[in-house]
Amino acid sequence: MRILCFGSLNIDYTYRVDHFVQKGETISSKDLQIFSGGKGFNQSIALAKSGMEVYHAGAIGTDGMFLLEQMKQAGVHAEHVQVLDDVPTGHAMIQNDKDGDNCILLYGGANQAITTDQADHVLSFFHEGDYLLLQNEINITAYLMRKAHTRGMKIALNPSPMNEKIFDLPLELVDCLILNEIEASQLLANQISAQETGAAMAGYLKQKYPSAAIVLTLGEAGSVFLDQEQIFQKIYAVHAVDTTAAGDTFTGYFLGTLLQGGSVPKAMDRAARASAIAVTRPGAAPSIPSLEEVLSQELSCFS
Ligand code: RIB
């Protein structure tokens, strides 16, 4: 069983600010740093760092060659990433405020120029029982889901960033849905009240998508897994400097641990530890810890 992550690769321009810029306002940033990122890229790196063998597919422009190098250094198979001559690499403008929170403006670039020919070619290397991991930052997600399903592949979806395109996807084909509480409440729009608990939200998601295992992250309240069993995981308490890629780190470590034969509680715990460490460091992909760090850092649960 192998895993293919077909997803975005971005150049992240991260601006450190006191507060997020408001409508009509012009502010100066305190610092600019350029990082590797993109939800697909970050999740492939997290999968690889968890010890999983991972294949990444997607597209970049000629300005994004360093992303390919970083993937290879992390042990990700990058031969299915296309380099396009006429489209720039996708990028993100990220404001990182003094509390470590972020807001992100995306430019799709090559991530939005993926063709069905590329998808068919890449998927021809994968077979029944292999996993396809997707996010919502490339242009042919629905096509990939249907094609992968007809090949007998399992589909894991992180519906992030959440927008109206998610509602056009064949979500009934998803085998593992990994999302946060804001994405969950948008998927469940009109079905739940604002006061629902995480466990209740996971239950509603399971009713709506019965074929999918649900992995729901709940911020300070931890995370919950729901399939045949229900597992709760607390978060680890850390001082956050940059929350960018925390969700991607969780997704990669959760799936990577599980697909290497780990139990659900072990996968949830490793994912919580890895994402806690990631938020203590600036940047997206560079903040994702190695497995050695995840196993050796002493962390205490937030109660
Ligand atoms: O999830 C974090 C990522 O979202 C960033 O790396 C940025 O590129 C955006 O895709």
Side-chain angles (χ1 to χ4, degrees):
M1 187 270 303
R2 294 173 305 162
I3 186 162
L4 166 68
C5 176
F6 209 132
S8 56
L9 303 97
N10 284 337
I11 302 171
D12 286 357
Y13 297 91
T14 301
Y15 300 86
R16 198 154 55 82
V17 294
D18 267 332
H19 65 270
F20 300 148
V21 67
Q22 304 292 302
K23 183 174 178 178
E25 187 185 31
T26 301
I27 61 173
S28 293
S29 62
K30 298 180 163 195
D31 185 38
L32 165 63
Q33 284 185 283
I34 299 173
F35 297 108
S36 48
K39 291 184 195 300
F41 181 96
N42 299 336
Q43 292 180 22
S44 281
I45 298 285
L47 276 161
K49 290 198 170 181
S50 79
M52 186 73 196
E53 183 170 21
V54 52
Y55 294 77
H56 189 94
I60 54 173
T62 50
D63 54 340
M65 298 305 285
F66 73 98
L67 296 170
L68 275 188
E69 277 316 304
Q70 287 191 13
M71 277 199 153
K72 288 178 195 160
Q73 276 167 22
V76 176
H77 296 276
E79 61 269 23
H80 296 305
V81 177
Q82 276 208 340
V83 182
L84 305 176
D85 285 332
D86 50 348
V87 190
T89 302
H91 74 248
M93 291 175 65
I94 303 178
Q95 295 179 52
N96 175 216
D97 77 3
K98 58 183 183 331
D99 299 321
D101 291 326
N102 67 57
C103 62
I104 302 180
L105 175 66
L106 287 175
Y107 169 72
N111 296 314
Q112 296 296 321
I114 295 167
T115 61
T116 52
D117 280 353
Q118 184 190 355
D120 291 347
H121 177 72
V122 173
L123 289 178
S124 72
F125 291 93
F126 295 87
H127 308 288
E128 185 166 359
D130 288 340
Y131 267 77
L132 174 65
L133 171 61
L134 297 164
Q135 310 78 28
N136 188 30
E137 279 186 348
I138 60 170
N139 59 316
I140 54 160
T141 307
Y143 182 85
L144 282 164
M145 287 171 75
R146 293 197 175 94
K147 274 277 168 170
H149 183 72
T150 57
R151 296 187 71 76
M153 293 177 74
K154 301 264 185 208
I155 298 171
L157 175 70
N158 171 226
S160 182
M162 175 58 77
N163 57 37
E164 66 292 343
K165 288 185 189 162
I166 291 292
F167 296 97
D168 296 331
L169 299 179
L171 295 175
E172 69 282 1
L173 303 183
V174 174
D175 297 285
C176 184
L177 184 64
I178 307 174
L179 72 179
N180 65 31
E181 58 196 324
I182 298 166
E183 291 150 1
S185 60
Q186 287 170 305
L187 270 183
L188 295 170
N190 308 325
Q191 277 174 263
I192 54 163
S193 68
Q195 285 78 33
E196 299 287 5
T197 63
M201 270 208 269
Y204 285 119
L205 287 166
K206 187 71 186 155
Q207 272 173 24
K208 194 165 180 177
Y209 308 110
S211 309
I214 308 296
V215 186
L216 177 61
T217 61
L218 301 161
E220 287 193 350
S223 51
V224 55
F225 171 92
L226 180 61
D227 198 15
Q228 308 314 321
E229 55 185 340
Q230 188 170 44
I231 308 285
F232 290 94
Q233 172 66 49
K234 289 187 172 181
I235 64 159
Y236 288 95
V238 289
H239 174 66
V241 303
D242 184 352
T243 56
T244 312
D248 300 330
T249 304
F250 189 99
T251 296
Y253 262 90
F254 172 78
L255 272 181
T257 307
L258 198 66
L259 299 185
Q260 288 171 84
S263 64
V264 172
K266 181 177 175 181
M268 297 282 280
D269 185 62
R270 283 219 182 145
R273 287 175 184 274
S275 53
I277 297 169
V279 304
T280 64
R281 305 158 167 178
S287 73
I288 300 170
S290 65
L291 182 58
E292 196 187 345
E293 290 173 282
V294 172
L295 297 180
S296 65
Q297 274 215 21
E298 293 215 357
L299 298 168
S300 315
C301 275
F302 188 86
S303 50

